[in-house]
Amino acid sequence: MDIAALVAWIVTALGGAVLLARWLGGGGLRRQGAGASRFPAPVVFGHFLLAAAGLVVWIVYLAADRDALAWTGLVLLVVVALLGFTLFARWIPVRRTTPGDAESTPAERHLPVPVVAAHGLLGATTLVLVLLAVLGVGS
C-alpha cells in the first residue's frame, strides 16, 4: 500500500504541476482588473508547497519506516485536500461563465477540464491509499 500511495502521489503531483504552470502562464498572479484570478495566490501556493512537503515526508517515511512520519504525511495530505477542495469550489463558477477576451478572463478559466478531473480523482485516491497505509491495511 505504501508504494501504491507513493505512485499515486507522484502522478497527482505531475497533474498539479501542469495545472500550476497553466495558471501561472495564463496570468494567475494578476491581482487587479477584469482578468484577475479568483484563486488566492496563498491558497494555490499553499496547496502546492504542502503537497510537495507531504510527498517528501512520505518518501522519508518509506526509507526510515517511522510511523510518526506516515501520520505527518497523512495530516499534510488532509490539509492539501482541503485547500484543493477550496480551489475546486472557486473554479466551478469561473468555468461555467462564458469566455470573454483573453484580457478579461481569469487564468483558471483555461485550465483543462480533464486534467482538473484527473488531478482531483487521483488526489482522492492518494488520500485513501495513504490512510490505508497508515492504518496498516494490506501490509
Side-chain angles (χ1 to χ4, degrees):
M1 204 62 61
D2 297 347
I3 300 301
L6 175 65
V7 171
W9 206 325
I10 290 170
V11 174
T12 304
L14 292 173
V18 168
L19 293 172
L20 180 61
R22 292 286 299 260
W23 182 74
L24 289 170
L29 291 177
R30 191 177 315 144
R31 295 180 190 262
Q32 296 178 348
S37 176
R38 308 301 192 272
F39 287 180
V43 176
V44 172
F45 290 111
H47 179 71
F48 169 73
L49 293 172
L50 287 172
L55 179 56
V56 169
V57 167
W58 192 255
I59 292 168
V60 173
Y61 155 69
L62 291 175
D65 196 26
R66 302 276 185 205
D67 287 345
L69 290 171
W71 283 100
T72 302
L74 176 63
V75 168
L76 286 171
L77 195 54
V78 168
V79 175
V80 167
L82 292 173
L83 292 173
F85 283 128
T86 301
L87 292 170
F88 183 69
R90 296 183 77 115
W91 176 74
I92 290 173
V94 172
R95 183 69 194 162
R96 289 184 177 168
T97 61
T98 338
D101 60 43
E103 290 298 315
S104 66
T105 304
E108 54 271 17
R109 173 71 175 87
H110 303 290
L111 295 178
V113 174
V115 179
V116 171
H119 181 68
L121 290 173
L122 283 167
T125 301
T126 303
L127 184 59
V128 169
L129 289 172
V130 168
L131 176 62
L132 292 174
V134 166
L135 295 176
V137 175
S139 52

